[in-house]
Structures are given as structure tokens and as C-alpha cells.
């Protein structure tokens, strides 16, 4: 076919704008013909699946979406939200967004830059975009699926048209996500004339990750091979090292992944609840309290129910104030038994009434602290046991003390499954430098990273910032780190033990002290990793990182923020925070 311009006579009575439109129209017809001639089986439309993920669930669903779209004859790609600019988004025809919500209603780390650009005044109109949004979240939080709600609303404001209403999934997201996927792909296939039947949706493709037979619904009963105290006996903390035997499970993992532990509730707390309710300790209801209901953290449904039952009570007064911070402060440390004890027995729920108000007992995820190259047959965890007292009661973390105390002797079976985290792994380039910032149990993935690099013989430099309260009692893995330093695997080790001197010292303090060297590593292509507490540590570390860049570049705060944004886009600044 001749060039489109040659099909329009030079003396045709069209304006420049009309001629441009006509040329584009002819080009579109020609392109469609070429696609049809090239292959009758060619995809009829492209689906762009954009994901925002903090722990890997949204990315896994995005990959599955692409695999199922391809099985239906649709072209598909999965891309992190931060890798997409608003202009690129405007050029897309069919967009499916899958995103989790992180922290207090925030966008995941790999979606924040996308959201900033999308809500700016310069964001383009999106009238040519058809879209649908799937949210992952936890109804226990006030900002349930807030990230998905924000993106859904903003896309509509910019003129995009919904393919399907947004679906917000709770922690058990598999079934509603699968239903949403089927419905959306059916609609896409109908609209675009895709020729696939969907029969091959489960067939492996380059986009579909390998499926493990062990997951949330069918966890693997692993043998707990090691349960060892790491912190000193007289430490204020209790940090333990665990090793789980993988046996013949076929489980594989990567350094940076998480291991989900399926706990059982503390029998003492269950007995106290049953006694308070005047219920029998046998039967199906009691079994549910032990194995399937969350009794440590009160649900929103239980709080609302108790406030309604006792409108003049203390809980109802706090709820009536309407501020989340006041309610969170009042609830801090309290469990289900505390709330029931504070309720007039004449209005309190019975056990059958209580059970529907309790959330399902969820697995707890912990960063894996081993490398599959160094420990192919085991998975290691580094976990702080949660224990504290208030008044006449002692409180304990559900999973942390389940592992420490209630699994019996070493050799007990513990239900586990791997939660992949593709966004938090060591660089593919063995020469690339790594900066790892992880105080306390935040050291967990970095122990795995260092063992991985040692096993690979990687030449890249490795710098660890680690700290805790006291060096004498809380320097976990000291012997290992010393050995890795002596072998040259750990190039730099900066320590910050906050209570060993009058003025508190934290990892961000050490970062600022070594500002020039740290910036030099960044300029050399270093990847920066942060693991640990999201509420304070991770924010303080980011502020320190921004300060380092601003000081060394001397171009102001805005330049430092853009520098850090570039690191995020290049996946050279990633976090595993909780």
C-alpha cells in the first residue's frame, strides 16, 4: 500500500486538520489489514495490567490476569504502576489496575509516583481509555482498599470509561478476584472480538508464575527444626531464630520472599474467653475460637456491636467522638476479652453471637532470613516474640509466641507457605553495590541477601546499617556478620545501638554521618533496601536519605526528591516495611 499521504491529492479540498485526520484514519485501516493478513490468530486488543504491590499479591494476580487474557486471544502485559507515565496511560486502550493499600490508606511503594503524576493538574485526559480496578485490602482498617478507590475515582475524573465496577477484596481475596477477572475478561473478549475461548487460562505462559501446591488454603506442615534464642537472656527483647525443614515439599523460594505462618490461638486466652462467656470448652464453637477466629485484635464489627449494646459505656463514648486516633489509642493493647469484660453481662453477646463478629484468623508473614543457595532445604526466620503486661493481664503476639512457646519441642509440624515478593530481591547484576538498612528484626532479609551473594560469588560491594537498643544484648547474628566482614562479603557495617550512650543513635544517624560515602555508592549504581517498622523507622530513614542527597548534590529539596523518585523508578530503592 502506498504511503497514506500519497492517497490524498495535493489539491483535495481539505483543511490541514481534516487532511491530518484522514491520513490517520487511512493508516489505521492499513494497520488493521496488515495485522489480519499477518495472522488470523493475532490478538485483537492489548490489555495493559498495571499493579501496585507491597508484598507481592497484586503482582501475582496481575501475572495471572495476563496469562488468562492471552488464553482468550488478547495481548497482555503486566507493569508496575510507577513504570507508567500519564502520557503512556493515555495511549492505552484497555487498562486493568490491581493494587493493594499500604499503611494508613497509602499507595504501595511502587505506585506512589504514578499517583502523584495522575493527580497533578497537568495529567492528560483519558477519554480513549477503558478501565477496571481491583483492590486488595483488609476490612479491619478504616482505609480499606483506599488506594484502589483513589485510582478508580481519578481515572473517572480524567474521562476514562469503566469496563466494570471496582471490586474491593478483603484478606481472603482469591475468590472475589477470580470472579472479577472472569467477568472483566468476558466483557473485553465480547467488546474486542477476541477469538480465544479461555480454555487455556490455566496453561503456563511466560507471564504466569509457577504455582506451588502449598498456599493459604493448603499450607505445608513443615517440621520446625530449630528454635534458638538470639538476643541475650537479660535483653528487653526476645528475638529468636527459626528453621523450617522443607522435606519433600518441593517448595522453592528466593531471598527477599516472605514465609507465612499459620498460627493457633493461645489456649489460655481461649479458655478465659470461654469461661467469661459461660460456654463449654468442647464443641465446634470452641474449636473455631482455637483455630479460625482472631481473638487478639478486636474487629470493627465487634466494636460497633458492643458500642450499640452499651450506648452509655466507655467504648461507645470513644466511638461517638468519631476520631480514629482516639479509638486507636483506647484500643491499644486491648483484646477481645478486655472488651467483653468491659461490657455489661446483661447486654454482652453470647458465644454464637460473638463468632460472626470475629475476623478469620490470618497467617502472619515474616521476611525470610536465608538464601536458597546457602540453605536449599530449609527456610529461616528471625522473629521478635511479642510479650507485654498491662494491669493484671499478660498479652502475647499470636504467631510469635505460637512459634516460641506453643509448637512444643523442635520437630513439631507448623503450617507454612511461601509468599513471593518479586519486588524485593538482590540485583540481577552481581557487580551492583547494595545498601541495606534494617534495625532490629529488619536485618532478616539482609542476612539472606548476604548469604545469597556469598554463594553466588558476587563481586558487588555490600553495606549494612544495623542497630537496636544495646550491643551487649541485642546484636543478633554478630558472629555471622563478623565472619562475612572478614571474608569481604560485607564491605561496610555501620552499627547504631540507641541506648548505649546518653544521646540516642539510630541507623539514620549513621547514614547522615557517612553522607559523602553513601552518596558515592548511589552514584556508583547502588541498590538501596529498607526493612522494618513502617510507622517511624522507614520514614526517618527516607528523610535521612533525602537529606544526604540534598546535601551532597547541593540543588535543594525538590532535586533530592526527584533523585529518589528516579531510584524508585529504576527499582533501586525498595522497601519491605510493616
Amino acid at each position: 500500500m502506498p504511503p497514506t499521504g500519497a492517497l490524498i491529492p495535493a489539491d483535495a479540498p481539505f483543511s490541514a486538520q481534516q487532511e491530518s485526520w484522514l491520513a490517520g484514519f487511512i493508516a489505521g485501516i492499513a494497520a488493521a489489514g496488515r495485522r489480519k493478513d499477518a495472522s488470523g490468530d493475532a490478538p485483537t486488543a492489548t490489555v495493559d495490567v498495571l499493579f501496585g504491590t507491597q508484598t507481592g499479591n497484586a503482582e501475582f494476580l496481575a501475572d495471572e490476569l495476563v496469562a488468562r487474557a492471552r488464553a482468550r486471544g488478547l495481548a497482555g502485559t503486566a507493569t508496575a504502576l510507577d513504570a507508567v507515565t500519564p502520557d503512556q496511560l493515555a495511549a492505552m486502550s484497555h487498562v486493568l489496575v490491581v493494587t493493594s493499600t499500604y499503611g494508613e490508606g497509602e499507595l504501595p511503594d511502587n505506585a506512589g509516583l504514578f499517583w502523584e503524576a495522575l493527580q497533578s493538574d497537568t495529567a492528560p485526559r483519558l477519554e480513549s481509555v477503558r478501565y477496571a480496578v481491583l483492590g486488595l485490602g483488609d476490612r479491619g482498617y478504616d482505609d480499606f482498599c483506599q488506594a484502589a478507590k483513589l485510582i478508580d475515582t481519578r481515572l473517572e475524573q480524567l474521562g476514562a470509561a469503566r469496563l466494570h465496577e471496582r471490586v474491593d477484596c478483603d484478606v481472603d481475596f482469591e475468590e472475589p478476584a477470580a470472579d472479577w477477572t472472569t467477568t472483566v475478561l468476558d466483557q473485553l473478549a465480547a467488546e474486542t472480538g477476541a477469538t480465544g475461548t479461555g480454555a487455556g487460562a490455566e496453561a503456563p505462559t511466560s507471564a504466569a508464575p509457577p504455582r506451588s501446591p502449598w498456599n493459604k488454603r493448603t499450607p505445608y506442615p513443615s517440621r520446625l527444626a530449630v528454635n534458638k534464642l538470639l538476643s541475650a537472656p537479660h535483653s528487653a527483647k526476645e528475638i529468636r531464630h527459626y528453621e523450617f525443614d522443607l522435606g519433600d515439599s518441593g517448595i522453592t523460594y528466593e531471598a527477599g520472599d516472605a514465609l507465612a505462618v499459620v498460627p493457633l490461638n493461645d489456649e489460655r486466652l481461649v479458655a478465659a474467653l470461654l469461661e467469661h462467656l459461660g460456654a463449654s470448652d468442647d464443641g465446634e464453637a470452641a474449636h473455631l475460637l482455637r483455630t479460625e477466629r482472631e481473638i487478639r485484635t478486636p474487629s470493627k464489627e465487634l466494636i460497633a456491636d458492643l458500642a450499640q449494646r452499651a450506648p452509655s459505656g466507655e467504648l461507645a463514648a470513644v466511638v461517638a467522638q468519631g476520631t480514629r486516633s482516639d479509638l486507636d489509642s483506647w484500643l491499644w493493647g486491648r483484646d477481645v476479652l478486655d472488651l467483653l469484660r468491659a461490657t455489661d453481662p446483661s447486654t454482652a453477646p453470647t458465644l454464637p453471637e460473638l463468632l460472626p463478629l470475629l475476623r478469620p484468623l490470618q497467617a502472619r508473614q515474616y521476611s525470610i532470613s536465608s538464601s536458597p543457595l546457602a540453605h536449599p532445604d530449609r527456610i529461616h526466620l528471625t522473629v521478635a516474640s511479642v510479650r507485654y503486661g498491662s494491669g493484671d493481664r499478660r498479652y502475647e503476639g499470636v504467631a510469635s509466641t505460637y512459634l516460641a512457646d506453643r509448637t512444643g519441642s523442635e520437630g513439631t509440624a507448623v503450617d507454612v507457605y511461601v509468599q513471593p515478593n518479586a519486588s524485593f530481591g538482590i540485583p540481577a547484576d552481581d557487580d551492583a553495590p547494595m545498601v541495606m538498612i534494617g534495625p532490629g528484626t529488619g536485618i532478616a532479609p539482609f542476612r539472606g541477601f548476604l548469604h545469597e551473594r556469598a554463594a553466588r560469588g558476587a563481586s558487588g560491594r555490600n553495606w549494612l546499617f544495623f542497630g537496636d537498643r544495646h550491643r551487649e544484648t541485642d546484636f543478633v547474628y554478630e558472629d555471622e556478620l563478623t565472619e562475612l566482614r572478614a571474608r569481604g562479603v560485607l564491605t561496610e557495617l555501620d552499627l547504631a545501638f540507641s541506648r548505649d550512650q546518653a544521646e540516642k543513635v539510630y541507623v539514620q544517624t549513621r547514614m547522615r554521618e557517612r553522607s559523602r560515602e553513601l552518596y558515592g555508592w548511589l552514584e556508583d549504581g547502588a541498590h538501596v533496601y529498607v526493612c522494618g517498622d513502617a510507622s517511624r523507622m522507614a520514614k526517618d530513614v527516607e528523610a535521612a536519605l533525602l537529606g544526604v542527597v540534598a546535601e551532597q548534590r547541593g540543588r535543594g529539596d525538590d532535586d533530592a526528591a526527584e533523585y529518589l523518585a528516579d531510584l524508585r523508578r529504576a527499582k533501586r530503592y525498595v522497601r519491605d516495611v510493616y
Side-chain angles (χ1 to χ4, degrees), residues 395-434:
Y395 299 88
E396 297 180 339
V398 177
S400 64
T401 58
Y402 168 69
L403 290 175
D405 305 336
R406 304 197 299 278
T407 54
S409 59
E410 293 176 353
T412 300
V414 177
D415 286 345
V416 299
Y417 58 92
V418 171
Q419 177 63 60
N421 189 354
S423 63
F424 196 83
I426 67 173
D429 180 3
D430 283 345
D431 296 331
M434 290 198 312

Side-chain angles (χ1 to χ4, degrees), residues 262-323:
V262 182
L264 299 176
N265 281 317
D266 184 355
E267 187 63 39
R268 293 168 297 179
L269 179 56
V270 172
L273 266 171
L274 292 171
E275 180 181 5
H276 177 81
L277 294 166
S280 170
D281 64 356
D282 56 9
E284 181 62 22
H287 176 72
L288 288 174
L289 281 186
R290 292 184 175 92
T291 63
E292 296 186 25
R293 292 291 186 270
E294 177 64 65
I295 59 176
R296 181 65 189 85
T297 304
S299 68
K300 291 171 62 177
E301 292 77 10
L302 176 62
I303 292 167
D305 181 83
L306 294 181
Q308 185 177 23
R309 289 171 181 270
S312 60
E314 184 180 0
L315 174 59
V318 176
V319 171
Q321 291 175 2
T323 63

